[in-house]
Amino acid sequence: MGNSCVTAGCRGSNQVQTSFKWAIDGFSSVLDRGDSWTYSNVFQIRGLNWHLKLNPRDTKTGDPNEYVSLQLELNRDSVRSSRVVKTTFKFLIYDQLYGKHHQQQVSHDFQSKSTTSGTSCMIPLAALKEKSSGLLFNNSCVFCVDFISVAIAKAKGASENLFVQKMSNICSKPKVYRWNIEDFFALENPSSSPEFELCGHKWSIKIYPSGDDVNENYLSLYLVMKVTDTLHKNSAKLIESSMSIKNLGTGKDFTRGKSREEYSENFDSWGWDKFISLEDFMDPANSYLVKAKCCIEVVLAVIGSSEMK
């Protein structure tokens, strides 16, 4: 169940490029969760914070086949409006039997309006699952992003093992919390919900009623974990969550998710800068805000853990 992190390059210790290796044990549990993105823990390379993202059941329009897609995302705390981070990197899926890794090179300029880049439909899921490929071995897959060039000072690479648990283990059944706000217009920017406990951890919802610093026409929402002594400084929890603004009439709720992210001491919150436009939120026809009242719902489950060493 344990996970490890070591300093290593994907192409050998004598290489100057830095890298992040992500081993996912219990890969079938990720497949069971369908067409959605799973985020790695945050890692630092070349002085910037990043996430590796995986969708093992991505699709193409008009194509019945499923594909494995990988993306690299520059974390929002490393984004600067005046800065462009020019990168070239490789995605690798490790062949754990024969060393014939599946790889693809990508070049991308990361900036405030483009924080994610990757390889859509990198390999058919059926090809990854073939026993002869060595890419899926003992229900484990190993992914890597290997940086070839980054216009930032050098830093050591990192790797992480992610253990994804079966639905019957830990707090894998979704738990629900609702925050009833009596007067939306009395909220400060930002404001936080009362602290609540779900799945053995304490949480709060952070809301920016008039948007964060750069998204003034949107309502911003984040789920925040209170990091305690029970969460080791080098460990993380993989959380599957969704967030909704409840319809106070008879219509449909407005929901974002379902997403899977790792929460840790270094990265204790996830959410949406542009959860919903203020115009749509305040539109009486939508019944999200009625006589200054609204309700925000969080649904979450703990489905895995990791440890960096």
Side-chain angles (χ1 to χ4, degrees):
M1 177 173 166
N3 303 284
S4 63
C5 176
V6 295
T7 301
C10 290
R11 293 176 285 143
S13 59
N14 63 332
Q15 300 292 329
V16 298
Q17 291 80 13
T18 55
S19 59
F20 176 78
K21 185 171 67 175
W22 192 21
I24 301 181
D25 301 323
F27 189 73
S28 60
S29 292
V30 178
L31 294 178
D32 291 343
R33 296 176 184 277
D35 178 10
S36 59
W37 290 96
T38 296
Y39 287 71
S40 76
N41 198 358
V42 64
F43 60 93
Q44 188 175 88
I45 287 181
R46 305 292 177 90
L48 299 169
N49 290 330
W50 308 86
H51 295 279
L52 192 57
K53 297 167 57 179
L54 165 72
N55 185 346
R57 291 189 178 274
D58 207 355
T59 56
K60 297 179 181 179
T61 302
D63 187 341
N65 297 309
E66 295 178 308
Y67 295 85
V68 177
S69 293
L70 288 173
Q71 290 186 349
L72 179 67
E73 181 170 305
L74 181 63
N75 189 45
R76 62 176 180 267
D77 63 10
S78 292
V79 176
R80 301 290 183 272
S81 59
S82 60
R83 181 168 66 188
V84 176
V85 182
K86 297 181 178 294
T87 64
T88 299
F89 54 90
K90 282 186 179 181
F91 286 126
L92 295 95
I93 305 176
Y94 275 26
D95 177 349
Q96 301 173 70
L97 296 178
Y98 311 109
K100 297 179 181 179
H101 309 320
H102 188 86
Q103 59 184 293
Q104 188 160 344
Q105 184 167 312
V106 180
S107 294
H108 186 71
D109 292 348
F110 290 88
Q111 50 193 306
S112 58
K113 294 183 179 181
S114 182
T115 60
T116 301
S117 178
T119 303
S120 296
C121 303
M122 183 173 176
I123 184 175
L125 177 59
L128 180 137
K129 295 169 71 174
E130 289 179 359
K131 292 184 179 180
S132 60
S133 73
L135 302 177
L136 178 60
F137 181 71
N138 286 340
N139 201 22
S140 175
C141 277
V142 182
F143 303 93
C144 179
V145 57
D146 186 7
F147 286 78
I148 297 171
S149 63
V150 183
I152 299 294
K154 295 180 181 178
K156 293 182 179 179
S159 74
E160 173 197 20
N161 280 359
L162 172 64
F163 181 83
V164 183
Q165 309 207 15
K166 289 292 185 182
M167 291 296 290
S168 59
N169 295 335
I170 57 172
C171 183
S172 59
K173 292 184 178 180
K175 304 296 182 181
V176 180
Y177 172 78
R178 293 187 179 94
W179 180 21
N180 292 300
I181 300 173
E182 295 298 320
D183 188 353
F184 175 82
F185 298 104
L187 295 175
E188 297 181 354
N189 199 47
S191 290
S192 294
S193 72
E195 189 175 274
F196 58 94
E197 185 168 340
L198 289 179
C199 296
H201 296 278
K202 294 182 179 180
W203 308 84
S204 63
I205 301 169
K206 180 179 283 188
I207 183 173
Y208 290 78
S210 56
D212 61 16
D213 294 340
V214 296
N215 299 292
E216 296 179 352
N217 296 320
Y218 289 84
L219 187 150
S220 304
L221 284 177
Y222 303 94
L223 178 63
V224 182
M225 172 188 278
K226 182 179 181 181
V227 178
T228 64
D229 293 338
T230 61
L231 187 62
H232 189 272
K233 67 178 182 178
N234 290 325
S235 67
K237 295 292 184 181
L238 180 64
I239 307 297
E240 184 171 79
S241 65
S242 64
M243 197 174 293
S244 303
I245 297 178
K246 305 295 289 182
N247 184 292
L248 302 182
T250 59
K252 293 183 178 180
D253 302 336
F254 184 87
T255 301
R256 293 280 192 185
K258 189 180 291 184
S259 60
R260 296 184 290 270
E261 300 91 10
E262 291 193 57
Y263 287 76
S264 64
E265 183 181 58
N266 295 326
F267 203 80
D268 61 359
S269 67
W270 280 89
W272 293 266
D273 300 335
K274 296 181 178 181
F275 187 86
I276 186 174
S277 70
L278 290 175
E279 181 181 0
D280 288 340
F281 173 69
M282 295 183 179
D283 187 342
N286 293 327
S287 296
Y288 301 140
L289 184 66
V290 178
K291 296 182 179 179
K293 295 182 179 181
C294 64
C295 178
I296 300 172
E297 179 182 87
V298 171
V299 181
L300 66 85
V302 179
I303 62 172
S305 61
S306 67
E307 185 175 351
M308 309 277 282
K309 295 180 181 179

